[in-house]
Amino acid sequence: MALTGTKFQEASLGQYGSTYLVSDSDVIDLNGSSPTRYVCSITFLEDTQFQALENLGGEVGSFSTVISENNLDSATNGIGAAGNGTTLTKDSGGQVFPKGVTIFGRWDFVELHSGACICYFAVR
């Protein structure tokens, strides 16, 4: 479900909280049966690389290999489980996010490899 109205404003202002990741293997694990939040944005304070950055429920809404509107999940307007949801890992290309950039999406597992970042939360 997309954030709208008050929930969007609150998440945009960081009112659901945040976590500062600075050490190799620092982890935010919001998998499981009863989490109430997910990571909605990440701001990089240094050039940063993740050990793992996993999309919430394998959604296409964060990182994916979708390059055509026809590849989206029409049952959920493209924001739903799909075989082409992409999990970034250190071993799958080693993407480094530069200092000063903020990315937006929906992640339920974040594990740092190097760098420093602030992960902001939203409610499910």
Side-chain angles (χ1 to χ4, degrees), residues 21 23-29 42 48-54 88-90 108-114 117 119:
L21 303 179
S23 298
D24 184 18
S25 299
D26 277 358
V27 173
I28 298 172
D29 186 353
I42 303 172
T48 300
Q49 186 178 39
F50 294 104
Q51 189 70 32
L53 182 60
E54 297 179 5
L88 294 180
T89 66
K90 181 177 84 65
D108 59 8
F109 186 86
V110 180
E111 182 178 357
L112 194 65
H113 174 65
S114 64
C117 61
C119 297

Side-chain angles (χ1 to χ4, degrees), residues 3 6-18 36-38 40 120-123:
L3 290 176
T6 301
K7 286 183 180 181
F8 172 78
Q9 289 178 317
E10 290 171 348
S12 297
L13 297 172
Q15 290 180 285
Y16 294 116
S18 62
T36 59
R37 296 172 194 242
Y38 62 89
C40 65
Y120 294 92
F121 299 107
V123 295

Side-chain angles (χ1 to χ4, degrees), residues 25 48 59 76-77 80 93 95 116:
S25 299
T48 300
E59 295 181 335
T76 59
N77 293 319
Q95 174 64 48

Side-chain angles (χ1 to χ4, degrees), residues 19-21 23-24 29 39 43 51 55-57 60 64-65 74-75 80 83-84 86 91 93 104 108-109 114 123:
T19 297
Y20 176 55
L21 303 179
S23 298
D24 184 18
D29 186 353
V39 174
T43 298
Q51 189 70 32
N55 292 339
L56 178 64
V60 174
S64 76
T65 57
S74 61
N84 55 4
T86 300
D91 299 327
F104 300 88
D108 59 8
F109 186 86
S114 64
V123 295

